[in-house]
Amino acid sequence: MALKMVKGSIDRMFDKNLQDLVRGIRNHKEDEAKYISQCIDEIKQELKQDNIAVKANAVCKLTYLQMLGYDISWAAFNIIEVMSASKFTFKRIGYLAASQCFHEGTDVIMLTTNQIRKDLSSPNQYDTGVALTGLSCFVTPDLARDLANDIMTLMSHTKPYIRKKAVLIMYKVFLKYPESLRPAFPRLKEKLEDPDPGVQSAAVNVICELARRNPKNYLSLAPLFFKLMTSSTNNWVLIKIIKLFGALTPLEPRLGKKLIEPLTNLIHSTSAMSLLYECVNTVIAVLISLSSGMPNHSASIQLCVQKLRILIEDSDQNLKYLGLLAMSKILKTHPKSVQSHKDLILQCLDDKDESIRLRALDLLYGMVSKKNLMEIVKKLMIHVDKAEGTTYRDELLTKIIDICSQSNYQYITNFEWYISILVELTRLEGTRHGHLIAAQMLDVAIRVKAIRKFAVSQMAMLLDNAHLIASNTQRNGICEVLYAAAWICGEFSEHLEEANQTLEAMLRPKVTTLPGHIQAVYVQNMVKLYASILQQKEQAGEKEAAQEITQLMIERLPQFVQSADLEVQERASCILQLIKYIQKLQIKEVPVAEEVIALFAGELNPVAPKAQKKVPVPEGLDLDAWINEPPSDSESEDEKPKTIFHDEEQRHSRHRQPEIDEEELARRREARKQEQANNPFYIKSSPSPQKRYQDTPGVEHIPVVQIDLSVPLKVPGMPMSDQYVKLEEERRHKQKLEKDKKKKKQKKEKRGKHHRHNSLQTESEEDIAPAHRVDIITEEMPENALPSDEDDKDPNDPYKALDIDLDKPLADSEKLPVQRHRNVEALKSPDSEAPLVEKKSKKPKKKEKKHKDKEREKDKGKKKEKEKKGEDLDFWLSTAPPPASSTQPQGEPETSAAVVAEPQEVKKEEREEQEEEEDDEGKKSSKHKKKKHKKEKEEKSKDKKKSKKKSHQNKEETAESVQNGTLEDEPLPPMSSYRLLAENPYIKMTYDIQGNLQHDSQVTVSVIFENKSSSFLKSMELNVLDSLNTKMLRPEGSSVHDGIPVPFQLPPGISNEAQFVFTLQSIVMAQKLKGTLSFIVKNDEGSTHDKLDFKLHFSCASYLITTPCYSDAFAKLLESGDLHMSSIKVDGISISFQHLLAKICFHHHFSVVERVDSCASMYSRSIQGHHVCLLVKKGENSISIDGKCNDSTLLSNLLDEMKETLSKC
Amino acid sequence: MIKAILIFNNHGKPRLSKFYQRYSEDTQQQIIRETFHLVSKRDENVCNFLEGGLLIGGSDNKLIYRHYATLYFVFCVDSSESELGILDLIQVFVETLDKCFENVCELDLIFHVDKVHNILAEMVMGGMVLETNMNEIVTQIDAQNKLEKSEGWVLFGVFCLSSLYTQAGLAGAPARAVSAVKNMNLPEIPRNINIGDISIKVPNLPSFK
C-alpha cells in the first residue's frame, strides 16, 4: 500500500525528466519560449521538494536550459544541495550544473568549500574525480586558497585517475592563488616522472602552460624535459614538450644548439604530421634565437623550408595552412630562404580558402623588398577588386597599408606612387578602415616634406570629387578620408594651385551631411585656405578678388553655424565673426592678410603617440599624495564599489614580482631597440642614407630635396598607380644601364669576359636608389623620455602574478593554508614578546616544517644549493659533448651510451641526496658529503628512503638545536620531540605537546596519524577521559563524552597531523589522560569499526616554553632570592656535553644562557610564568644539575624528568 | 588551453556548449551564433582552422572544427595547443561518443547531453587535455555508469523507478525519429597522431647529462 503511494507520488514528481523536456521543446516549435517558461515553473516546484532525486532531476533539466541561453543562477543554492547528495548519480548532476553556471560572482559559492573538501577526500575515486572536474571550472581565489593543500595531497594519491586530475587542476589553482605555486612546485615537478603516462602528460601540460607565460623561471627544468623528450613515446607529451622548448630557447641560445640535432632527427623520422610540424616550429624558434646567418645552420633552415614547402603543396588544406603559418615565422629572421618561394605564396593568394589567403597575405608582408613592393601591391590591388565579402577586402586593405608602411616606409621608393595607391583605395566602399587610410595620408604628408605638393594636389582632387560624399555617409567609413584631405589642403595650402576651387568645394552644401568631426575639420581648414588666398590676392593687389572671397565665406558659413554638432557650430560662429570683422577692415582698405595668416603661423610637428605619457613629472610633485585629508575609513568602507577591491588585490600581487637583474634588463633593452627599429613611429638614426634625420632642432635644418616631377600631376580619372609602376620600371632600367656602363668602364681592362654575367644578376636591394631622396621628420618626444619604457605590459594580466622564482627556497610565510583545529587561530596571533615560542607553537605539518628549517639554514646551505642549481644548468648546456652520434661507429653505441649516462645518474642522485641531507643535518653534512664515495651514497640514499617517514622528526631536532646556538662541528644524533602515543596494525599515532605563552592554561597536542595498513581509514574520532585538572577543549555544546572528529581521512600509507587543545589548571605536576581513537577501516571487503586506546602523557616539560634570556637578566633573577632550589646528579653519562645540552634544550624546552667549558646555565619559562633556571655541570662521568624555580614542586618534577632523560644516555 | 567546446547542428542549434572561461549566458549564445555563422559558410574541403572568433579572446585564439554529417564540433583554443593535435582530439571525442552510444547520431546528443558532458569531462578538464586514450576514457565512463546503476537499482529504490520511466520514455518517440536521422558515419580521416599506441623511436639521440 505504502509502496503504491510512493510510486504514485513519484510518477507525479517525475512527470518530466530531461528527455521529456527535450521532447516537449521540440514539439513546441512555435511557442518554445512559453513552453520553457512553463517548464521552469515546474522545475521551481520540483526544487522545493525534499526528495533529492526530484531535485537532481530538476537541476539536470536546468543544465539543459542553460545551454539554450537561460540564466539559471537563481538555482545556485539548489545546485549546491544536489552537489552534496551522497549518491554519485546526483552529485555528478550537481557538479555538472555548477561547472556550467558558477563563477566568481556566484555568492553562494563559498558554501561549497567544505562539501568539496569532503568530496576530495572521499574514498570513492569518482566522487573525488567529479569534484575535481567541477572545481576546475568554477574555482575562485577563495576556493583555491582553502583547497590548495587538499588538492596538493591528492597529487600523491594512489590512483592515477585522481593524480592526473589533481595535477591538472593545480594550474587553475595557481592562476587564482599564485602564492600556492612555490609550495606546490616541487611535487608538480616530481609528477613529471610519474610512472603513469596520464599523470606525466598532465604534469607536462601544466608546466608548459606555466612556462609559456613566464619561461625564464622554468629554464632550470630544461634537462629534465630533454630527458623526457628523448624517452617519451607519447606524441601528445612530445608535442607539448617541443612547444615548451620553443618558448624556452629564446632565453637560452645554448639550449637551442643542444636541441637542433634531436629535433632534426625527429623531423626525418616521424610519420605523425602534427609532431613533424611542431618540430619544425621549434627548430625555427631555435634558429631565431641563434644569431642569424650562421653558416652551419643553413642546412637546418633549408630542411625546414623544404618540409614546409611539402606541407604547403599538400592537397590537405590543413597542412597547407599550417605550412604557411610556420613559414611566416622563418620569414622574420631568414627572409631570403622564404623569398625564393614567392611563387608558391602568391599562388596561395588565389586559394579558395579564406584562412589560407589570409596566411599568405601575412607572408607577403615579410617578403616585400624595395624591388618587388610595387609588383606585390599591384597584385593585391587586383585582389581587392575581385574580393567578395567585406571582411577579406578589409583585410587586404590593412595588409596593403601594413606592407607599405612597415619599418618606417622602408620599402617605398616612390611616395607619389604610395599616395596614389591610397587615393585608389578610397574607392572601396563599405570599408571599416577609412580612418586607416586617412591616418596614412596624414602621416605621409606631414612627415615626408618632399611629397606635400603632390599630396595636396591629390587631396584637393578628393575634396573636389563628389564620390566620397555621395554614398551613404552613415555606414560608409571611407568618408574619414575627407578628414585627412581637408586638413592636408588647409595646412599646406601654400602648395595648392587652385585654392579658390578647393575652397568652393569645401563650402558645398553637401558637406553638411558628413559626420560632425569631419565638418569641424572642414571649417577650421577653410580659414587656413582663406587666409592663404587672401594673402595671395593682397600681394597681387587684387583687392576686389580678396573681397569676393570674403563675401563667399560670409555667405556659405551660416550653413555650418546651423549644424547640430556643437564643435562645428562653435567653430563656424567664431570664424564667421572673425571674417565679418575682416570684411569691415577690407572695406576700410586696411591690409589684413599678414595678420590673418599669422593666426596659422608656424609649422606643426608630428608628436609621438606616447609623448604625452612620457612628459616627466616635475620634481617634488607627488600625484598620489592627498591634497585634502583623506575621507574617513568608515565612509569609504561602505561606499567602496566592488571593483576597487579587485584593483587592490591586483596591486598586491604585482609587487611580488621578483626584481629584474641586470642581464634581463640588458636583454629587454636590446629587444626594445629591435622593436623601435621596426616601428614606423620611432624614427631613429638608421644606416640607410635616405632615412637619416637631423638631430638639430627646427625644421629649417632638415635638408629637403625638391622632387623632380617628371610625372604630370593631374591625371584625369583616378587609377594611376599603374603608371608609376611603369615609370618606376623605366627609371630603374635607366639606372641599371648607367650603372652597367660604369661597370663596363671599370672592368673593361681587367675582366672583359665577366661583365656580362654580372649585369645579368638580379639587382641587390641596395642597388635600387629611391626616385627622390626623402626626408622623414621624426616625431617629437619630451626631453630625456625614452621612446618606449615598459608601459605596454598589461597590469591586469592574470599570468603576471605567476611570474615567480621557483628556485628560491621557500620562506616561512609561504605555506599553504591548512585546515586546523579551531584554536590555531589564536595561536597564530603575533606575539612580540616571544617570537621564538610563537614559531614553535605553530606546529605546522611536516612539509612546512621542512620549509622552516630551510629558512633557518638559509645563510649557507641554501645559497650553495641555489648556486649549484644554476651551475647545473650551465654545466648541462655547455659541457655536454657535441652530438657525436652521427660520427659514432655503429658497433658500440650501447657501451658509450652507458658511459655517458652514468655520470648523469650519479649527478642526479647527488643532487637529491644533497637536498635530503641538507634537510636532515643542516650545513655540516655538506663537508662530509664531498668525500664520500658513490657506493656509500647509494647505500645511504637507500637507507634514507626507508627512513623517510621518520625523517621529518629528525629535522625538527636539528632546527631546535641550531636555534639554540649549541651547534658546533660535531653532528648531533637524530632526536624527535614526537613520542609514540599508541600503535596497532592499522594506525600509528605520535604526539607532541606545545605550550603557548598567550594562554596560561592551554596546551596544544599535535598528533600525527599514520596509516600503516593498505586500507582506507576514515571517520576518525579522538576522545579522552578528562581529569579534574586537565580537560580537552571541545566545541561548544558538546558533552564531555563526545569525541572530536579528526578533520581528514587517511588513504593507505599517508600520514597527517591534527591538533587538539587542552585546558589545565595546575601545571606543577605531570598528568596522564586515558583516551581512545575510533575509526572506520575501509577496504575491498567492506568497512569495519576499530578503536585504539592510548595514554596521553603531559610531562612538566611540555608546559615549558623555550625562552631566550640574557645573562645579566639571568643573574638578576638568581639574585632576587624568591626561587626555590633543588639539585640532582646523574652518573654514567657518556655523551658529550654539547649533546647533552642539546638534549635538554630539545626535550625540556630550555635555552642556553651561557656556557663556559663544561658548565652551562640554562633558562626556561612555564606557560604560567614560572622561571626555571638551571646550572649544569659536567664531571668525569657524571652530570650535576642545580635548579631554581618559583615553584618547588614543579622544579622537582622537572628535575625528575630530566634525570630520566639523561639516564638513558 | 582550450577556451570553449561547442557542438551545434547544421542549423546552428546548440547540442553542447562547454566554456572554460566565464561568459554570461547571453554572450555564450552570441558566441555560439557567431561561431556557427563563421563555420557554416565554409566549404567542405577547406582547412579546419579559423582565425578571429571576435568574441572569444583576441588574436591568440583559433577555432578548430570538424563537420560530421549533421553536426559541427568546434574547439576554440589558444596557441599553446597543437592544431593537428586538437583535430585528432575531436576525432577521439567523436569515436568515444560512437563507442559509448553505440553508433552515435545527433539524437543521442540531443537527448543525453548530460552523458556527453560526462564523456567530455574525462577528456578535457578545465580547458586542458586530460586523457587521449579512448580505451581509458571508455573504461572510466563504464565504471561510472556501473556505479550509477548500482546506486539506482540496488541502493535506491526511488531512482530505480525513475530509471524505468526514463527507459519507457526513450523507447517511445525518439525510436521513430532515429531512422530519419542518418548516422554520423565516421569518415576514415587519416590520423595525424597515433595517440599512445605508436612508439616513436628517436634515433641517434646524443646522450646527455
Side-chain angles (χ1 to χ4, degrees), chain A residues 92 96, chain B residues 113-122 141 144:
Chain A
R92 184 155 76 167
L96 174 61
Chain B
V113 65
D114 49 340
K115 286 187 185 158
V116 182
H117 268 296
N118 295 336
I119 292 168
L120 185 62
E122 293 302 323
I141 290 291
Q144 288 177 41

Side-chain angles (χ1 to χ4, degrees), chain B residues 77-98:
Chain B
V77 302
D78 69 12
S79 63
S80 74
E81 299 295 338
S82 151
E83 291 87 348
L84 295 173
I86 293 293
L87 273 183
D88 275 350
L89 188 70
I90 299 179
Q91 181 73 11
V92 172
F93 184 31
V94 174
E95 280 178 29
T96 311
L97 288 176
D98 197 48

